[in-house]
Amino acid sequence: MQKNILQTLLFFGAVFAFLSCSSSKHSKSKRLPGIWQVQPVTIDGSNKDWPSPYPEYDEKAGIGYAVSNDKENLYITVETGDPATQLKILREGLTVWIDRKGEKGEETAINYPIPANTDGKEQRAPRQKVQGEGQQGLGVDHQQKQRMELEDKVRAALDGAKEYSLQGFKSCNLQFPILETDTCGIMVRIGLDADNELVWEAKVPFKSFYFKPQLTRADKGKAISVCFETTAMKRPPGQQGGGGNHGGGSGFRPSVGFGGMGGMGMGMGMGGGMHRGGGGRSSQNSTDIMEPAYKSTKTYKKFGLAYMDQ
């Protein structure tokens, strides 16, 4: 009798120890490191408030990115030096999905800029000639001329990045001019720096999407996910592709203030760094300098929320 009781106690003791260990591991796995934003980020389309290089980089998507937070706001930035990727973002929009549960939910999103309707007409911003470039482009090889023409298109498209739209937030799911403050207090901007890096920034108040308006110590290390999605540009008729997804992606593409959902994009995420003035720049030859523009991408990343007593 005593032997049976002892065996029973040992059995339940082992089960309890196993469950406690599993629970402890599971609890620890939910806590992730985050970046505490000591000074609020100025949302102006500049990377001056962000680390150099950016702490995360997706080579296939050609983007660097970073996420930080303070008690009241989540700060998000994306950077790319590849002109084809820049043009794709400016013309087709960048969709940034936020999942407050740290999963891959696609319910809450910022789409900026709003995809432009160019009606097939190319517009170019004025550009000063580079040294050695004559009337016939003497001294500049074909690839360099292609790149300069592409950069002209990027600058022209940047002038049209004046509106953004929101989906899945608590009380502000409409289309807004970037200079107008929405009811959620979300701010977005995009710009080109001195090294021709395209910089996308957003400030997202927790009150607009999170479980509570301000973080507390209990939120430290809790997972939050962000997905950066680009939508492919249409390939010119008669031009063969170099592989990859040339379709539309599932980005939030608004029409008259609201968005629709297209096909599936291709996803990839990886760590690394993006160096200012060179990160994400295309190393492709003259025949495929535009190839990144014809591919839809998705970059998922799970971050931890940071917290610091002030």
Side-chain angles (χ1 to χ4, degrees), residues 42-146:
T42 301
I43 306 301
D44 55 3
S46 167
N47 50 26
K48 67 180 183 298
D49 294 326
W50 297 96
S52 177
Y54 275 20
E56 305 289 341
Y57 179 54
D58 183 340
E59 184 176 5
K60 292 184 179 179
I63 61 170
Y65 54 97
V67 172
S68 64
N69 70 271
D70 54 27
K71 284 184 179 180
E72 297 183 346
N73 302 294
L74 183 71
Y75 301 99
I76 304 171
T77 185
V78 179
E79 182 181 65
T80 179
D82 175 65
T85 303
Q86 293 174 353
L87 189 63
K88 174 177 62 174
I89 288 173
L90 289 167
R91 288 194 176 174
E92 302 298 329
L94 175 70
T95 301
V96 177
W97 301 95
I98 304 171
D99 187 342
R100 62 182 182 174
K101 297 180 181 179
E103 299 173 356
K104 291 187 177 182
E106 294 186 356
E107 297 177 358
T108 304
I110 302 171
N111 189 85
Y112 176 62
I114 299 298
N117 181 13
T118 59
D119 295 325
K121 296 179 181 179
E122 298 289 354
Q123 297 181 348
R124 297 183 183 180
R127 170 179 56 84
Q128 293 183 346
K129 289 183 179 181
V130 298
Q131 185 176 4
E133 181 183 8
Q135 276 189 326
Q136 303 299 322
L138 297 176
V140 181
D141 63 24
H142 179 64
Q143 182 179 2
Q144 182 64 16
K145 286 192 292 185
Q146 271 195 322

Side-chain angles (χ1 to χ4, degrees), residues 66-302:
V67 172
S68 64
N69 70 271
D70 54 27
K71 284 184 179 180
E72 297 183 346
N73 302 294
L74 183 71
Y75 301 99
I76 304 171
T77 185
V78 179
E79 182 181 65
T80 179
D82 175 65
T85 303
Q86 293 174 353
L87 189 63
K88 174 177 62 174
I89 288 173
L90 289 167
R91 288 194 176 174
E92 302 298 329
L94 175 70
T95 301
V96 177
W97 301 95
I98 304 171
D99 187 342
R100 62 182 182 174
K101 297 180 181 179
E103 299 173 356
K104 291 187 177 182
E106 294 186 356
E107 297 177 358
T108 304
I110 302 171
N111 189 85
Y112 176 62
I114 299 298
N117 181 13
T118 59
D119 295 325
K121 296 179 181 179
E122 298 289 354
Q123 297 181 348
R124 297 183 183 180
R127 170 179 56 84
Q128 293 183 346
K129 289 183 179 181
V130 298
Q131 185 176 4
E133 181 183 8
Q135 276 189 326
Q136 303 299 322
L138 297 176
V140 181
D141 63 24
H142 179 64
Q143 182 179 2
Q144 182 64 16
K145 286 192 292 185
Q146 271 195 322
R147 186 180 186 88
M148 289 188 297
E149 290 175 356
L150 184 52
E151 289 174 349
D152 286 345
K153 294 177 182 178
V154 167
R155 282 187 287 271
L158 184 61
D159 291 337
K162 301 184 184 302
E163 292 185 307
Y164 67 100
S165 54
L166 305 173
Q167 170 186 342
F169 289 90
K170 292 181 179 180
S171 60
C172 51
N173 300 307
L174 293 169
Q175 187 166 317
F176 302 91
I178 57 171
L179 298 179
E180 178 181 315
T181 302
D182 61 66
T183 55
C184 290
I186 294 170
M187 292 183 63
V188 292
R189 292 292 188 277
I190 197 166
L192 278 171
D193 71 4
D195 296 313
N196 283 327
E197 297 278 348
L198 188 74
V199 180
W200 187 104
E201 288 186 300
K203 179 185 79 172
V204 189
F206 285 111
K207 67 179 183 180
S208 68
F209 74 98
Y210 197 57
F211 303 103
K212 50 191 176 183
Q214 287 190 350
L215 299 187
T216 62
R217 178 170 291 277
D219 297 297
K220 185 176 181 179
K222 286 187 176 179
I224 189 168
S225 297
V226 179
C227 173
F228 306 98
E229 181 175 8
T230 69
T231 301
M233 291 173 55
K234 291 183 179 179
R235 191 180 295 274
Q239 186 181 110
Q240 293 183 351
N245 186 338
H246 315 310
S250 63
F252 176 45
R253 297 173 55 80
S255 175
V256 195
F258 294 90
M261 305 300 287
M264 291 300 294
M266 53 183 291
M268 64 289 289
M270 57 193 298
M274 170 169 280
H275 295 273
R276 300 278 161 79
R281 293 185 182 270
S282 174
S283 61
Q284 298 165 335
N285 60 38
S286 61
T287 61
D288 60 2
I289 190 172
M290 279 295 294
E291 193 61 32
Y294 307 134
K295 297 179 180 179
S296 295
T297 65
K298 279 187 179 181
T299 302
Y300 284 99
K301 182 69 178 182
K302 186 181 292 188

